[in-house]
Amino acid sequence: MVSVHTSPLSQPGTGDAGGLNVYVVETAKRLAERGVEVDIFTRRTSAALGEQVQLVPGVTVHHIAAGPYEGLGKEDLPGQLCAFAAGMMRVGASKPEGHYDLVHSHYWLSGQVGWLAADRWRVPLIHTMHTMARVKNAQLADGDTPEPAGREIGEEQVVAAATKLVANTPGEARELIELYGADSSKVEVVTPGVDLDAFSPTDGAGRREARAHHGVEPDAQVVLFVGRIQPLKAPDVLVRAVAELVAEQPERRSRLRLVVVGGPSGSGLDKPLALQTLARDLGVKDVVDFVPPVDRSALVRWFHAADVVAVPSHSESFGLVAIEASASGTPVVAAAVGGLPTAVGDGGVLVEGHDPLDWARALGSLLDDDARRAEFGERAVAHARQYGWDVSVDRLLDIYANACHDDASTDIDASRALAGVPSAIVP
């Protein structure tokens, strides 16, 4: 696996770490459980990181030196792809001939390197976009920076080079075909999953314990946002929505809480305190709490402590936070974009657009209806049970096997053709 710009060892919610990191970790672990050895290649960002780190038995993370460890943004990484590829080739050269059966690259930067590696090692290239420039640019948040043309060109090249393209949802598959001209026969849909052991519902006692652990009042109405703080994820919509709720019903102020769990990322790094400033300017500084990114156990407690989890993103290829919240039994209010309708299912509410008034109404009506929230919570758990990571990995293994078989058949055809043997006689 190739994940150039973000390490699977990084804490989701910090820097560029998010759903992609979770995807790589969870699929790699389960592939190893099935006897598939996995090497993950990622860029080294600290001298303290070892060149090789075992994630779990059977999964090794290789930290490749490509540019300075600190101070490089994701937009600077195209200039380091040659150095990264060279480091990856050195690792490959230390392995026996034919050691790697295939390359699975994640995000377009990784696809560029994966393309070279797959070509060098004469193996299939499987690629997962995770996000796409043309989709993001079509749904850009106000004031956000468009993705550059160079990324669009790079994505087109990877789409053309890949043996198979893995889309998170049927909608993303259509976008690959319609926006990037992907060959429909190369596109496969594999819905991401959720760790059903880690994310599971709780009872009333568990909810009280979770609230006490995080210092949340027993009678508080809690809206939870989890993710990187940047315009794409639209946490500002929630700050404006709670301001609308308080303005319409001032008595809410003493109980209403918006909890934002995450750190600035991407274009949000330009104004890291913009959300705090917005809360102050709108007069709801006392209603909004900011919490740094947390580990999985603390995140589960936050899901249990919340009444509603809100996912107002302008673009999401799937929405792992939504499915994790659902598995935890917490209803979701999400934007009706990308893969979020698939992730939410009938376990929550979808909001068209990003008008704070619409979000205030959706959140307020759910916060004020205990029976409706409980019903959505039960539906959410049932919906999430269909999306365990084991299901995703079983599907990936089928795609890997077919790609390797097709690749081997192509090699046989090519060798016979070179020898003057008609390929039609190959069984």
Side-chain angles (χ1 to χ4, degrees), residues 237 241 244-245 333 349-365:
V237 171
E244 294 287 353
L245 285 170
V333 176
V349 176
L350 296 174
V351 180
E352 297 287 346
H354 294 82
D355 187 328
L357 278 173
D358 293 336
W359 280 82
R361 293 189 190 101
L363 292 169
S365 64

Side-chain angles (χ1 to χ4, degrees), residues 144-300:
D144 203 0
T145 305
E147 294 295 321
R151 175 178 172 180
E152 292 190 16
I153 295 168
E155 288 175 341
E156 282 186 327
Q157 292 170 333
V158 174
V159 166
T163 308
K164 291 290 184 182
L165 295 159
V166 175
N168 287 331
T169 63
E172 186 179 352
R174 287 193 298 272
E175 289 166 345
L176 282 165
I177 295 166
E178 295 171 1
L179 299 180
Y180 288 87
D183 181 344
S184 60
S185 67
K186 291 169 46 172
V187 180
E188 305 281 357
V189 176
V190 180
T191 308
V194 58
D195 186 336
L196 295 172
D197 293 325
F199 297 95
S200 59
T202 190
D203 55 16
R207 173 181 164 84
R208 289 190 292 273
E209 186 277 331
R211 289 198 161 202
H213 179 84
H214 286 308
V216 177
E217 299 81 0
D219 66 340
Q221 293 185 322
V222 180
V223 177
L224 177 66
F225 169 90
V226 177
R228 289 168 286 158
I229 300 175
Q230 57 179 269
L232 174 71
K233 301 294 184 180
D236 61 295
V237 171
L238 300 179
V239 176
R240 297 179 192 278
V242 298
E244 294 287 353
L245 285 170
V246 169
E248 184 176 332
Q249 296 175 292
E251 65 275 13
R252 280 191 188 272
R253 182 180 292 271
S254 62
R255 295 179 61 202
L256 183 62
R257 288 185 66 182
L258 168 62
V259 179
V260 178
V261 178
S265 174
S267 56
L269 291 169
D270 295 337
K271 298 179 180 179
L273 298 179
L275 212 58
Q276 288 90 331
T277 301
L278 178 64
R280 184 197 64 205
D281 292 346
L282 294 177
V284 289
K285 182 180 178 181
D286 58 317
V287 175
V288 185
D289 294 334
F290 294 92
V291 178
V294 297
D295 63 21
R296 177 170 289 190
S297 61
L299 179 58
V300 172

Side-chain angles (χ1 to χ4, degrees), residues 86-111:
M88 191 170 163
M89 292 300 100
R90 281 193 290 272
V91 174
S94 70
K95 307 289 185 181
E97 187 72 22
H99 177 75
Y100 292 113
D101 296 294
L102 62 86
V103 175
H104 188 165
S105 53
H106 296 270
Y107 192 67
W108 79 275
L109 293 170
S110 303

Side-chain angles (χ1 to χ4, degrees), residues 315-340:
S315 175
E316 285 286 351
S317 61
F318 182 63
L320 286 178
V321 167
I323 199 71
E324 289 172 349
S326 296
S328 304
T330 307
V332 177
V333 176
V337 299
L340 284 172

Side-chain angles (χ1 to χ4, degrees), residues 48-69:
L49 294 169
E51 288 188 10
Q52 297 182 15
V53 177
Q54 186 180 71
L55 180 64
V56 295
V59 179
T60 303
V61 178
H62 297 266
H63 292 111
I64 305 298
Y69 295 155

